[in-house]
Amino acid sequence: DARVTQTPRHKVTEMGQEVTMRCQPILGHNTVFWYRQTMMQGLELLAYFRNRAPLDDSGMPKDRFSAEMPDATLATLKIQPSEPRDSAVYFCASGLVLGQEIYEQYFGPGTRLTVT
Amino acid sequence: GEDVEQSLFLSVREGDSSVINCTYTDSSSTYLYWYKQEPGAGLQLLTYIFSNMDMKQDQRLTVLLNKKDKHLSLRIADTQTGDSAIYFCAEGGTGRRALTFGSGTRLQVQP
């Protein structure tokens, strides 16, 4: 049963600390997405990668957020320094893009981040 | 740009049918999706439909697509309390690399 995994599931940290969230996409998927979900903003796309290359990170605050894919089995989202307004659930999703079409996007369970 | 809109809330009684509606703006949408999010969980892909279809049925779920009006609906037959969740409509199109999601419809099923 292929699925996207994310760690940690929950993270509580103090303002100013570094936070790293990890994601393992579904084997064979060539696209990875990072989303943030809050009550106020709903689901926001932060960044996505295709074949490990960053395609778009325009949804991400560049001064404190960074996203990488060191290899095909691992994607990371880092916040440094973290702020209370970063408190949200962060979802990773992986999908398959063939040619110009995107489909089969599957979500991980999310990392619930609380910054105090 | 692309936009997807959904009503925020729907309440039904157990055993009734639920119909969740969605409208989108991009006429080049190729695939349209329905996702379900239960409390504390990620988004689960329920079903999707190609834009050249007008209906797709999968057990209790029926998806209807009116491409002319850019309207998508999800019908859940014999709604159960376990169907209580937030349902997201999403669309994807040729040349676009990410799906566009609606804001979600919270379905409440009353016993």
Side-chain angles (χ1 to χ4, degrees):
Chain A
D1 184 23
R3 60 183 67 189
V4 177
T5 58
Q6 290 186 248
T7 56
R9 293 295 312 276
H10 301 273
K11 176 74 177 178
V12 180
T13 191
E14 291 183 349
M15 183 173 64
Q17 297 298 306
E18 178 179 298
V19 175
T20 299
M21 291 169 269
R22 294 177 174 81
C23 166
Q24 183 172 6
I26 292 173
L27 191 64
H29 280 184
N30 59 2
T31 310
V32 172
F33 306 83
W34 283 105
Y35 291 86
R36 176 170 63 184
Q37 187 178 40
T38 61
M39 289 291 292
M40 294 299 294
Q41 300 296 329
L43 197 63
E44 300 174 274
L45 177 65
L46 297 175
Y48 58 88
F49 294 76
R50 182 174 177 181
N51 296 324
R52 295 177 53 202
L55 287 190
D56 188 352
D57 59 2
S58 59
M60 212 162 63
K62 302 285 190 309
D63 55 339
R64 299 183 300 107
F65 284 57
S66 61
E68 294 178 346
M69 273 202 81
D71 62 62
T73 63
L74 177 65
T76 62
L77 179 66
K78 188 176 293 187
I79 308 174
Q80 168 64 22
S82 57
E83 297 181 2
R85 60 181 167 151
D86 301 329
S87 297
V89 181
Y90 291 81
F91 289 106
C92 173
S94 73
L96 192 60
V97 173
L98 297 177
Q100 295 293 315
E101 305 287 348
I102 175 165
Y103 60 100
E104 282 198 9
Q105 186 170 329
Y106 293 93
F107 281 75
T111 294
R112 182 174 294 276
L113 174 65
T114 303
V115 183
T116 60
Chain B
E2 309 91 21
D3 193 22
V4 178
E5 293 195 357
Q6 303 177 237
S7 53
L8 290 181
F9 186 76
L10 176 65
S11 179
V12 299
R13 288 190 176 177
E14 191 173 16
D16 288 349
S17 291
S18 308
V19 179
I20 302 171
N21 295 300
C22 169
T23 58
Y24 60 97
T25 58
D26 191 344
S27 57
S28 70
S29 297
T30 309
Y31 299 89
L32 296 121
Y33 304 79
W34 284 105
Y35 284 82
K36 175 184 180 182
Q37 185 180 30
E38 297 182 30
L43 277 70
Q44 173 196 355
L45 178 61
L46 278 180
T47 187
Y48 63 90
I49 188 168
F50 298 147
S51 60
N52 62 358
M53 300 170 62
D54 52 20
M55 187 181 86
K56 180 179 179 181
Q57 188 151 5
D58 184 0
Q59 299 182 337
R60 293 190 298 119
L61 305 179
T62 302
V63 179
L64 294 178
L65 174 60
N66 182 329
K67 195 173 179 181
K68 173 176 169 289
D69 294 338
K70 300 189 189 71
H71 181 268
L72 182 74
S73 67
L74 174 70
R75 178 178 181 270
I76 305 172
D78 186 25
T79 312
Q80 304 297 307
T81 54
D83 296 324
S84 293
I86 301 174
Y87 291 81
F88 290 88
C89 168
E91 56 99 18
T94 301
R96 279 191 282 119
R97 297 154 173 166
L99 301 183
T100 302
F101 284 83
S103 55
T105 299
R106 183 178 295 276
L107 174 65
Q108 181 180 70
V109 182
Q110 298 177 348

